[in-house]
């Protein structure tokens, strides 16, 4: 009999189904927060054509997903983007992508604590009259998210499922009420007229729309915990992209109907933060607006937990590579979670929150926007690099995939994502509201992180050749139900 009492704990395999992974991805996007917090600005900038921008972003990312998910059937590594980029573009680019991924997920997660503190403060003040300082609430949020990440991944999936259904339900309730009453002046499809996409502010709206999908690609990070990952991951990816694209467009369109094509922009200009709350109060009742305020907070908690779990798994994968300290690769014996990575991430979040609070920074315009923006840029840049890597990878291995999936779709995705990245950079002032100096600094953090990864790769290749040689290598153990595909050597 084999003694397993001293066996090294691993992640809980075969735990997550398609719905579980989709919950993680969609929760990270925080649909209610995106709609109530960002969509009014999109209407202000681009007018009533905003719903079409969300559809365009969804179509672009669906095209990207074709090659991305095809490659996911061949790459069993749990490192997500950097493993894919290593396969196609070589190890130096893979090291750069690893640092970009770490920057992207940490920034996307930690910055949201500012919005959590601010939104929770406003909700408590409005509903209960409690004036609790935002840093206190943000730090409580750090503790709650740490605990959620410390527990098993199936616990996190159940929590996210409940929270996501709640925030989706309140938006659906608003939409049904608007449609049932025929809107303010009857229902109109003017938002989808072809000419709307060429309106003056639409490039800025497209930038916001792409930002609203950030994190959808994290499906592959859960490969080691997924049931039948060759099928589960592609399904979860397509479901997440389709749901977000269609849902965003539908909800923004219904809010336009709530005010009318000719009146909604003026309403958004008058009270952008209250646009959705006023609509649901008028069409459903004031109680629904109170519920929406509470669900904004739970939406943010769901987003934070999803990004926290994804970041932990990136940290775990990089620790197993030897790129990060080995301690970050420890897995809890009972909960099977990368708990040391979770502790490290939470400590960093505390340091950032305390630093911004001590400096008297605004939790929304500075902590959220200044920290999140380079994270979002890093993730879009990673998508672009991954799209480039797909056809290069399939040129080097024997496979039975068709050219539509391995060449055509990735090439189209490369062009579309390149345009998306340019749009985001060109319209960064709409996302941050900061000075040109601050915006330039936030933009330059992304190429700086990638360049640091390239430099680190060259150093490791010279000083630690064994570590360099096994970087992003396929795992020795096989996920259940899969056979090992051919793997080319990365240069």
């Amino acid at each position: 009999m084999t003694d397993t009492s001293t066996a090294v704990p691993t992640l809980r395999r075969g735990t997550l189904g398609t719905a579980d992974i989709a919950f993680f991805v969609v929760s990270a996007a925080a649909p209610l927060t995106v709609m109530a917090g960002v969509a009014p600005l999109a209407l202000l900038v681009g007018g009533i054509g905003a719903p079409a921008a969300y559809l365009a972003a969804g179509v672009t990312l669906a095209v990207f997903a074709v090659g991305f998910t095809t490659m996911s059937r061949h790459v069993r590594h749990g490192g997500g983007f950097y493993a894919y980029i290593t396969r196609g573009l070589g190890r130096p680019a893979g090291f750069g992508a690893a640092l970009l991924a770490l920057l992207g997920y940490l920034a996307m997660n930690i910055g949201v604590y500012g919005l959590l503190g601010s939104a929770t403060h406003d909700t408590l003040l409005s509903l209960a009259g409690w004036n609790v300082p935002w840093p206190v609430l943000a730090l409580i949020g750090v503790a709650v998210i740490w605990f959620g990440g410390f527990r098993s991944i199936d616990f996190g999936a159940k929590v996210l499922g409940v929270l996501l259904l709640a925030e989706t339900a309140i938006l659906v309730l608003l939409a049904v009420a608007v449609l049932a009453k025929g809107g303010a002046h009857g229902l109109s499809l003017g938002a989808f007229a072809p000419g709307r996409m060429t309106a003056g502010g639409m490039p800025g709206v497209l930038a916001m729309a792409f930002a609203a999908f950030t994190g959808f690609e994290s499906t592959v990070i859960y490969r080691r915990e997924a049931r039948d990952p060759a099928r589960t991951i592609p399904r979860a990816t397509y479901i997440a992209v389709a749901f977000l694209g269609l849902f965003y467009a539908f909800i923004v369109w219904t809010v336009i109907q709530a005010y009318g094509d000719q009146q909604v922009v003026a309403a958004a200009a008058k009270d952008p933060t209250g646009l959705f709350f006023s609509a649901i109060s008028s069409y459903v009742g004031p109680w629904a607006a109170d519920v929406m305020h509470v669900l904004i907070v739970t939406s943010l908690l769901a987003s934070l937990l999803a990004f926290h779990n994804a970041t932990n798994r990136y940290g775990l994968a990089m620790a197993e590579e030897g790129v990060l300290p080995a301690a970050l690769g420890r897995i809890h014996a009972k909960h099977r979670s990368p708990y040391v990575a979770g502790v490290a991430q939470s400590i960093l979040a505390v340091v950032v929150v305390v630093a911004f609070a001590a400096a008297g920074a605004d939790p929304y315009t500075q902590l959220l926007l200044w920290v999140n923006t380079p994270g979002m840029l890093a993730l879009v840049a990673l998508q672009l690099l991954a799209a480039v890597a797909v056809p290069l990878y399939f040129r080097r291995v024997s496979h039975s995939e068709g050219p539509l999936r391995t060449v055509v779709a990735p090439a189209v995705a490369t062009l579309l994502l390149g345009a998306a990245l340019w749009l985001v950079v060109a319209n960064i002032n709409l996302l941050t509201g900061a000075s040109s100096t601050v915006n330039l600094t936030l933009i330059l953090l992304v190429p700086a992180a990638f360049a640091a990864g390239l430099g680190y790769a060259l150093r490791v290749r010279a000083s630690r050749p064994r570590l360099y040689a096994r970087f992003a290598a396929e795992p020795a153990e096989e996920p259940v139900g899969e056979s090992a595909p051919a793997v080319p050597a990365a240069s």
Side-chain angles (χ1 to χ4, degrees), residues 359-386:
D362 184 87
Y364 181 84
T365 60
Q366 293 174 309
L367 175 50
L368 171 70
L369 298 181
W370 291 10
V371 175
N372 263 35
T373 297
M376 181 267 295
L377 286 171
L379 294 184
V380 176
L382 283 169
Q383 291 169 6
L384 176 58
L385 289 171

Side-chain angles (χ1 to χ4, degrees), residues 3-358:
D3 181 13
T4 60
S5 61
T6 59
V8 177
T10 61
L11 294 175
R12 202 183 298 274
R13 293 188 177 277
T15 298
L16 302 177
T18 299
D20 298 320
I21 298 175
F23 281 146
F24 275 106
V25 174
V26 177
S27 295
L32 177 56
T33 303
V34 167
M35 291 290 91
V38 181
L41 179 58
L43 288 167
L44 272 175
V45 173
I48 67 170
Y54 288 102
L55 283 180
V59 169
T60 297
L61 294 175
V63 173
F64 165 74
V66 172
F68 182 61
T69 56
T70 300
M71 195 168 173
S72 75
R73 296 200 291 265
H74 296 257
V75 177
R76 296 178 291 113
H77 193 279
F81 270 147
Y82 78 78
Y84 289 61
I85 292 167
T86 299
R87 295 290 186 279
L89 302 179
R91 289 191 180 92
F95 273 83
L99 287 192
L100 267 187
L102 202 59
L103 167 67
Y105 278 91
L106 280 172
M108 288 300 298
N109 193 27
I110 293 174
V112 176
Y113 284 112
L115 181 55
L116 177 68
S118 176
T120 308
H121 169 271
D122 294 346
T123 298
L124 291 176
L125 189 62
S126 173
L127 300 183
W130 299 345
N131 188 10
V132 184
W134 75 263
V136 173
L137 297 169
L139 292 175
I140 292 173
V142 173
V144 170
I145 297 305
W146 164 81
F147 178 75
F150 173 72
R151 292 292 301 272
S152 62
I153 192 68
D154 50 333
F155 170 83
K158 291 182 178 69
V159 170
L160 290 178
V162 172
L163 297 182
L164 179 61
L165 289 174
E167 65 177 295
T168 302
I170 196 69
L171 289 170
V172 170
L173 177 63
L174 168 61
V176 169
V178 171
L179 295 179
K181 295 180 180 180
H185 307 290
L187 303 180
S188 165
L189 293 176
F192 299 102
R196 296 292 182 187
M197 283 299 292
T198 59
M202 286 305 290
V205 179
L206 284 166
M208 296 179 203
F210 278 101
F213 288 79
T214 304
F216 90 94
E217 74 293 325
S218 61
T219 50
V220 296
I221 300 173
Y222 299 102
R223 181 181 191 90
R224 290 159 66 178
E225 295 154 291
R227 295 194 294 268
D228 192 6
R231 295 183 179 181
T232 301
I233 289 172
R235 287 174 182 171
T237 304
Y238 284 120
I239 288 171
V241 172
F243 173 81
L244 289 173
L246 294 172
F247 190 68
Y248 286 153
F250 172 66
I251 295 299
V252 176
W253 175 75
T254 56
V255 167
I256 293 171
Q257 306 316 301
Y259 291 91
D261 286 0
Q262 306 303 318
Q263 293 79 21
V264 67
V265 174
K270 182 179 179 181
D271 184 16
T273 59
L275 189 73
F276 274 70
F277 299 101
S278 296
I280 201 169
S281 183
S282 298
Y283 283 86
V284 181
W287 66 268
D290 292 340
V291 172
M292 184 176 280
H293 275 290
V294 173
L295 291 179
I296 286 282
V297 175
T298 61
S299 170
L300 291 169
L301 287 171
S303 177
L304 283 162
L305 180 57
F307 268 110
H308 179 86
N309 279 322
T311 307
N312 285 350
R313 280 149 184 80
Y314 257 116
L316 168 67
M318 293 173 67
E320 291 174 340
E321 304 279 14
V323 175
L324 292 179
L328 295 176
R330 292 178 187 167
I331 296 173
H332 195 272
K334 178 181 178 181
H335 299 302
R336 303 292 184 87
S337 61
Y339 70 104
V340 178
V343 169
Q345 183 185 171
S346 299
I347 290 173
L348 180 60
V350 168
V351 170
V352 173
V353 169
V354 170
F356 272 78

